[in-house]
Amino acid sequence: MNHASAVMKGYSAFLDLECARTGERFPADRLRNLSPAGAPLLARYDLEAAARTLRPEAAARRAPGMWRYHEVLPAPSPEAVVTLGEGMTPLLEVPRLGARVGLPHLLVKDEGQLPTGSFKARGLSAALTMARLLGAREVAIPTAGNAGGAAAAYASRAGLRAHIFLPLDAPAVHKVECTLAGAEVTVVRGFIHQCGEIVARRASGEGWFDLSTFKEPYRVEGKKTMAYEMVEQLGGEVPDAIVYPTGGGTGLVAMWRAFAELEALGWIGPRRPRMISVQAEGCAPLVRAFEAGAEGASLWEQPRTLASGLRVPRVLADFLCLRAIRQSGGTAVAVPDEAMFAAQREAGAAEGILLCPEGGACVAALRLLRERGDLGREDRVVVFNTATGLKYADMISVDAPVVDPLGAKDVEAR
Ligand SMILES: Cc1ncc(COP(=O)(O)O)c(C=O)c1O
């Protein structure tokens, strides 16, 4: 199907793609990866046109979920959308947890409630929508795990074949979810960037479309809906700070761009949240670059963290992440693994929310940020829990006594 011919008037205000480095524009008439300058391609919209129908009251009347913001998403019509029913995720008040970390106005946006159990559903719903529309038959993705699970599921939903490349130490659940979704799974003795090198080498020869983070232009579009939803849930306000677990940086960059769109649409004013990036001490290329005042992040040798989503040693969109953090007046902070797992238990016990280790990293960072003065007591802070803790069940040891049922001996005797 040709993109232009499928456009339904007013459904999407998508215009074209722009190189994040040079500003050069490209029509969205075919499958594209990086720009000729080797940089990510980012979508542009006619926001004036979008603003005519995408008003907060109108959005509120539509079905909850990311596609309610269809004017600022690339799908040309509702029929083109590849969806598994990604609903609006809750923005939870967590007063007990907030009191413990000295932030009474703390909120958690729980992305674990999306299809495939992580925020990756948003990006891959958008990416597979466009991949199918523009004629892809097979897709490939290097992944820490969650993106692979979502890619496999949305590819099947789109009727496409998926090839998933995961590091050997990715949590077992990801290999299972990809297999169950009918994908071809390859386990690589290496890190995610080395999975990416295999995909890049094989994609063109095998006729696969490469869905790698930021090499594919629409995942970032799907992910920006986290910010749209949050603003809607806050009644048109932005929080003082967003605390976000950063691997490839898609969510961070996507939300930062979304705030500019939201202002152009008239949903918010010029105020912005401080974007705070959280990484693991054993793999913190962005934190190191931020602290050094650098514009780009170099490869982190020998990454070591159990939070697989944060085990991303090379960040393709490093300059976009660092720009978002700095322009917002935010910061970047690394936490040890023990602290993220402790925070996971603390949040679960205090509020009943099942954080993934990456979400745990953010909660662990809160105390540090309070101590450093990066967060004030009165700040309204939103932590993103990017996946359900259930996906990481095998990392948690359970110390439970085993007892016999009441009357077990009597039953045996009979
Ligand atoms: C649970 C989880 N959180 C965070 C991330 C990092 O995502 P981003 O690319 O938005 O930085 C990932 C990526 O794999 C993830 O799986």
Side-chain angles (χ1 to χ4, degrees), residues 176-226:
V176 173
E177 61 177 334
C178 293
T179 303
L180 285 179
E184 186 194 74
V185 179
T186 305
V187 176
V188 178
R189 251 181 246 102
F191 300 110
I192 184 172
H193 67 287
Q194 292 161 324
C195 296
E197 286 161 9
I198 297 179
V199 171
R201 168 82 55 91
R202 291 184 58 186
S204 59
E206 309 256 4
W208 302 341
F209 177 58
D210 185 346
L211 293 174
S212 298
T213 301
F214 279 116
K215 282 192 185 170
E216 188 285 333
Y218 304 107
R219 285 173 64 183
V220 67
E221 294 308 293
K223 280 203 185 169
K224 80 182 178 192
T225 60
M226 291 190 286

Side-chain angles (χ1 to χ4, degrees), residues 119-120 144 146 223 244-251 309-310 356 358 386-387 392:
F119 72 137
K120 300 282 180 183
N146 281 313
K223 280 203 185 169
Y244 185 82
T246 316
T250 334
L310 304 183
C356 56
E358 295 81 356
T386 39
Y392 306 83

Side-chain angles (χ1 to χ4, degrees), residues 290-317:
F290 177 78
E291 287 174 353
E295 274 178 35
S298 51
L299 176 77
W300 187 278
E301 304 284 352
Q302 296 306 320
R304 257 187 220 99
T305 170
L306 286 170
S308 42
L310 304 183
R311 214 186 296 130
V312 182
R314 181 180 289 144
V315 185
L316 179 67

Side-chain angles (χ1 to χ4, degrees), residues 383-394:
V383 159
F384 278 78
N385 179 46
T386 39
T388 170
L390 289 176
K391 287 187 109 170
Y392 306 83
D394 56 350

Side-chain angles (χ1 to χ4, degrees), residues 91-95 106-108 351:
L91 183 64
L92 300 166
E93 287 179 4
V94 285
L106 182 64
L107 296 154
V108 173
E351 301 284 357

Side-chain angles (χ1 to χ4, degrees), residues 69-84:
Y69 312 109
H70 53 74
E71 287 92 339
V72 289
L73 288 170
S77 69
E79 295 72 37
V81 170
V82 178
T83 176
L84 285 163

